[in-house]
Amino acid sequence: MTNSTDIRLIVTSGLDAHTELVVPQGETVGGVLGRLPHGVQAVALRVDGVVREVGCTIDGNADIAYVMPDEPDGLALMRHSAAHVLAQALVRIYGDVQLGIGPAIEEGFYYDVLLAEPLSSDALASIEEEMQRIIAEDVPIRRRVVSREEIVAHYEARGDALKLELIAGIPEGVELTVYEQGEFFDLCRGQHVACTGRIGAIKLLHTAGAYWRGDSKRPMLQRIYGTAFATPQALADHVAWLEEAKQRDHRKLGRELKWFTFAGEVGQGLPIWLPRGATVRRTMERYIVDKEQSLGYEHVYTPVLGSVALYQQSGHWDHYADNMFPKMDMDNESLVLRPMNCPHHMMVYKSDLRSYRDLPVRIAELGTMHRYEYSGALTGLHRVRAMTLNDAHIFCRPDQIKDECARVISLIQEVYADFGIDAYRFRLSYRDPANTEKYYPDDAMWDTSQAMLREVVEQLGLEYEEAIGEAAFYGPKLDVQIMTALRKEETLSTVQLDFLLPQKFDLTYVDADGVKRRPVVIHRGVISTMERMTAFLLEHFAGALPTWLSPVHVRVIPVSDAFIDDAQRVVDVCTAQHVRAEADVRNEKLGYKIRHAQQERIPYQFVIGARERDNAAVSVRKRGQGEIGSMPMADAIARIADEIARKRDGSW
Ligand code: TSB
Ligand code: ZN
């Protein structure tokens, strides 16, 4: 509608939508649009295409448009209005509820409230019913400018200290607005749908504790989560997806399958690997170390502590301090838990004289490191504070960069094929030149390294996307991006090109002409951290990992107590051939044991009875395939051993 820098546009809500243009002198231009057509969410002000709160100052291209329920903005308005309806329902039911804040979020909305009693799970159903009633009432949602006196008096009368605190935080002179629907209004900048009837299909999901203003020293409120969609079908699809995500969540699977645990006594984000998970981890570690050895990597061990001076020299102290645990002062030394392994590997390189003939030097380690991650960001094994990275630093000559990067990428692809991982995307991660705090400021260096990494990726013909501000502080990265069960994108493997640390540590090699030159470093993680890869595998395979990665390959089940010794003998034969087997000798029914083995996602079950014992046979059941039938024990075990060795499951 307009294109200006200082015109102020006002759109009022409600069914009778009208627009006003307010020019700086206070002149008002405007027009009434009339009654909103059915099916439209609201009339909204859009600045550069984004719905803005009513009464905002425009600093881009603005227009006034209908917002439709099936567009992202429409969903956001609907969910924000649903949060108000939730608050209204709570006031109707509980009267003395104190209201915190209630925003729309990515996949729904929430409201933080303080209630005399914690809500029971039944309570959610009756609150949702009241919300449905308010939606059916279809009352207009109107914006109203209020005086500070009026709104303070209102919340004082209600005894709502949370709202009073919010108001106190708004500077004098800022226009205060409420959105009113029937008997209820809420302090809010908007914008909302025109009337409660246009909210669509809603559902309350769950509650969680949330500190007031995210501050652990303030009271704990109850956060009630819900979601809203344009149609009942869209809502039903989302709820089904949430259920599926819950089933796939590695935290649930990890607990049920007894792979790992977290203990309050140990500390947040510090995982305890239980025997099953540790077996999977050891399998991955052996696999990758063997593979790296065959590709010319040399493995080292270095300590998890390093001196502050080391990290000052590397630049971590300046650019990575937010992710580091505080230093410890002992015996005239200042030590930190390392957040990365690179500086130690620089010392490995420096421990010897290097000639151009020695390069590339590929230094690898299953390097344990500790990072301070915000407690709110910790997510099971996906994001932890103590982790072990399948790390390596490749020291090479500039003319070797492309070849080395290509080798790493092909290693990543080989490993993913063995792991059965097919859902991933490549991302080229560049620095954000404006962020001088995070990124080492050397424009020429960044231009060179970013262009070079892009060239490698282009030459390999990889499809990739680009992201500004995702580089490491020392250089650009090629990241392999995956999705968690909760649809959050995370980085698994990474290949990073670094011209900076060689300079900071004054690394050199003696070139063919006898002159000392600077090597380049490629940082790379293939499996990523054992923690993140394990979380990913659990979710990707819903707990049913390829046989070779499964903690138990075969569960041997005697049909009755009379065959316990026979079952144990089968286990011994398996074990001798590196097939991981255990016998289920519990005093339980056969059917129960089979179901239990299935729940544990164990790839093979051997059932042993009289016929099997007498014929040196096993009765095989296979995960996902069911009953296979009786066959000679030696054949069955050889076949499984072969699948493990080839890292490929076959159908029987
Ligand atoms: C590859 N110095 C490089 C190394 O040489 C490095 O540390 N890069 S990193 O910071 O990107 O981390 C490597 C990988 O560790 C990431 O790609 C990611 O997969 C994994 N990772 C990072 N932080 C965490 C965390 N908090 N929890 C679990 N895994 C993590
Ligand atoms: Zn590194």
Side-chain angles (χ1 to χ4, degrees), residues 338-571:
R338 68 171 170 199
M340 289 195 196
N341 309 311
C342 350
H344 289 83
H345 289 188
M346 303 290 140
M347 296 302 130
V348 174
Y349 183 86
K350 275 181 93 104
S351 69
D352 212 345
L353 257 184
R354 311 284 178 175
S355 113
Y356 71 100
R357 290 175 206 270
D358 301 328
L359 302 188
V361 171
R362 307 183 186 94
I363 301 301
E365 181 173 7
L366 295 167
T368 298
M369 44 196 210
H370 293 81
R371 294 185 182 176
Y372 173 74
E373 302 274 6
Y374 293 116
S375 55
L378 298 172
T379 318
L381 291 184
H382 267 306
R383 191 167 291 276
V384 288
R385 288 179 173 170
M387 66 205 88
T388 299
L389 179 63
N390 158 230
D391 205 355
H393 294 91
I394 301 170
F395 301 82
C396 66
R397 302 190 306 259
D399 62 289
Q400 295 171 320
I401 293 173
K402 282 187 192 161
D403 193 38
E404 283 305 307
C405 285
R407 278 166 190 261
V408 171
I409 292 164
S410 105
L411 172 59
I412 291 173
Q413 288 170 328
E414 240 177 87
V415 170
Y416 281 30
D418 285 346
F419 280 38
I421 303 175
D422 45 18
Y424 59 92
R425 294 202 312 248
F426 288 108
R427 180 183 79 183
L428 268 179
S429 304
Y430 304 131
R431 75 159 166 167
D432 173 3
N435 190 347
T436 48
E437 206 172 302
K438 179 169 169 194
Y439 294 112
Y440 186 76
D442 180 338
D443 292 345
M445 179 194 87
W446 282 99
D447 289 347
T448 310
S449 57
Q450 293 185 169
M452 204 175 265
L453 194 58
R454 187 183 322 110
E455 206 181 310
V456 173
V457 172
E458 289 279 351
Q459 276 178 9
L460 291 174
L462 299 182
E463 262 183 51
Y464 64 91
E465 54 210 63
E466 297 176 296
I468 309 283
E470 294 292 343
F473 76 83
Y474 43 75
K477 311 191 283 173
L478 173 68
D479 291 323
V480 179
Q481 299 298 106
I482 51 96
M483 283 288 183
T484 72
L486 302 176
R487 279 204 288 229
K488 186 169 184 301
E489 190 173 309
E490 294 281 11
T491 301
L492 210 52
S493 312
T494 182
V495 189
Q496 311 170 351
L497 191 52
D498 177 9
F499 291 84
L500 181 66
L501 295 194
Q503 188 185 315
K504 296 252 181 198
F505 286 97
D506 190 24
L507 306 185
T508 57
Y509 63 92
V510 181
D511 212 344
D513 54 6
V515 176
K516 279 188 175 175
R517 298 226 154 75
R518 207 68 66 245
V520 176
V521 170
I522 299 164
H523 306 237
R524 48 108 282 191
V526 171
I527 284 192
S528 163
T529 55
M530 298 304 137
E531 289 73 17
R532 186 168 289 179
M533 179 55 96
T534 303
F536 173 74
L537 292 174
L538 272 173
E539 296 185 348
H540 185 67
F541 293 109
L545 271 64
T547 301
W548 75 278
L549 282 167
S550 292
V552 180
H553 299 136
V554 181
R555 171 70 51 79
V556 184
I557 306 175
V559 296
S560 72
D561 282 1
F563 301 95
I564 287 179
D565 288 348
D566 303 291
Q568 201 53 58
R569 265 193 294 279
V570 175
V571 167

Side-chain angles (χ1 to χ4, degrees), residues 65-116:
Y66 288 143
V67 180
M68 304 307 288
D70 54 353
E71 51 186 353
D73 280 335
L75 274 179
L77 290 194
M78 181 190 299
R79 288 165 180 172
H80 189 182
S81 301
H84 281 210
V85 169
L86 166 58
Q88 182 174 13
L90 288 167
V91 174
R92 280 190 185 176
I93 298 172
Y94 299 97
D96 64 347
V97 55
Q98 285 195 46
L99 302 171
I101 56 162
I105 52 174
E106 183 125 22
E107 283 174 339
F109 62 88
Y110 68 77
Y111 218 111
D112 282 350
V113 299
L114 196 55
L115 284 159

